[in-house]
Amino acid sequence: MSFYALIPAAGSGSRAGGGGAALKQAPKQYQPVNSIPLIAHTLIVLAREPRISKLFVVLSPGDVWWDNYEWQGWEDRITVLRCGGTTRAETVLNGLEAMADQCSADDWVLVHDAARPCLPGEMLKKLLDEAGEDAVGGLLAVPVADTLKRDDGASRVDATVPRAGLWQAQTPQMFRHGMLRQALRAAGSDITDEASAIEQLGLHPRLVECDSRNIKVTFPQDLLLAGLILQHLND
Ligand code: CTP
Ligand code: MG
């Protein structure tokens, strides 16, 4: 049985100021962080893990940025698929379909956001160890730390939501290729992570505890934070 990584990288990064294919500013996955594009940090962590045999990067069909960078030396590890969809769920499903002839239904696929460049290598190993022993699979996640408020629709607090038992889902999320493809085909394009598609099959993915270093770069200030975390990780 093999492990593969599937990296959805077809978003426009609108909340970080990216404009998508039609506009000039490159999406966040191509913004420089400590002198290299953000997505390169993401790919380096996955490529360093010897158990992962191949990385499938899913780009938007209109992506004009990937080819601006040197990827020499990566040819054996990375397959670029230009079949991204209009939502993250569509991108992931299109990627799974496109890689289907290169893996078997029982192989593990780790779906990891291009926009999460600070995944600590030891957390990746922990996920492979723990979810790899699980019948369903699992995901990295962090117990919610802050007090949670629900608003009343007019910027006032309606209620405090008890945070006990609540987790923030991160990536990688790791499931078997066949099961994940079946789950995403059934779930439609509104879901925002793979685990929720698996949950809709009545299954219960394993939560593997990570920490707040594994941020998703979403807003412009997150680029600065990612640079600082990466400096610390690489020290
Ligand atoms: N993604 C994708 N295909 C899409 C939308 C998102 O592959 N149609 C990817 C992004 O490239 C990113 C990951 O999914 O690596 C997480 O999505 P998000 O942080 O929401 O990125 P964007 O959709 O690009 O950003 P925004 O929502 O601010 O536009
Ligand atoms: Mg998005």
Side-chain angles (χ1 to χ4, degrees):
M1 186 190 316
S2 300
F3 295 91
Y4 298 104
L6 178 67
I7 301 99
S12 61
S14 54
R15 284 170 291 175
L23 296 177
K24 277 209 181 99
Q25 189 184 336
K28 61 191 178 188
Q29 55 271 33
Y30 295 110
Q31 294 298 319
V33 175
N34 302 350
S35 316
I36 60 173
L38 183 145
I39 189 173
H41 292 286
T42 310
L43 299 177
I44 285 167
V45 180
L46 295 166
R48 268 192 197 142
E49 169 51 53
R51 279 177 281 179
I52 297 180
S53 36
K54 198 152 204 167
L55 281 53
F56 293 90
V57 180
V58 191
L59 304 180
S60 156
D63 186 296
V64 294
W65 296 283
W66 175 268
D67 290 333
N68 290 341
Y69 301 97
E70 305 281 330
W71 298 103
Q72 275 92 353
W74 291 79
E75 294 86 349
D76 290 349
R77 301 299 304 279
I78 293 187
T79 299
V80 175
L81 305 170
R82 294 180 178 271
C83 59
T86 52
T87 64
R88 185 182 175 285
E90 262 179 51
T91 297
V92 173
L93 179 55
N94 292 353
L96 289 173
E97 305 281 10
M99 66 185 278
D101 59 351
Q102 297 179 58
C103 68
S104 72
D106 280 346
D107 286 335
W108 291 106
V109 180
L110 285 86
V111 179
H112 184 48
D113 294 325
R116 284 187 201 271
C118 308
L119 168 64
E122 75 270 18
M123 292 297 170
L124 175 58
K125 288 189 189 305
K126 186 175 166 192
L127 176 71
L128 290 169
D129 291 343
E130 294 189 18
E133 293 294 310
D134 197 280
V136 176
L139 63 149
L140 290 182
V142 194
V144 168
D146 292 327
T147 303
L148 297 176
K149 305 292 185 192
R150 179 173 293 117
D151 73 41
D152 63 357
S155 299
R156 287 188 177 276
V157 174
D158 178 50
T160 298
V161 180
R163 68 170 177 239
L166 293 184
W167 295 66
Q168 286 177 265
Q170 300 180 335
T171 71
Q173 302 204 357
M174 174 177 150
F175 299 101
R176 291 180 194 275
H177 184 277
M179 183 193 284
L180 184 56
R181 179 160 72 158
Q182 179 200 346
L184 286 171
R185 279 178 179 170
S189 61
D190 288 345
I191 49 147
T192 52
D193 74 346
E194 289 61 55
S196 42
I198 299 287
E199 292 154 38
Q200 286 179 21
L201 298 180
L203 299 168
H204 300 280
R206 173 114 163 218
L207 290 161
V208 177
E209 185 166 346
C210 188
D211 59 52
S212 55
R213 290 174 296 176
N214 187 20
I215 58 164
K216 181 164 71 69
V217 171
T218 304
F219 301 104
Q221 62 271 26
D222 297 335
L223 286 162
L224 175 66
L225 194 54
L228 294 170
I229 296 170
L230 282 161
Q231 263 172 31
H232 159 83
L233 283 174
N234 296 328
D235 269 351

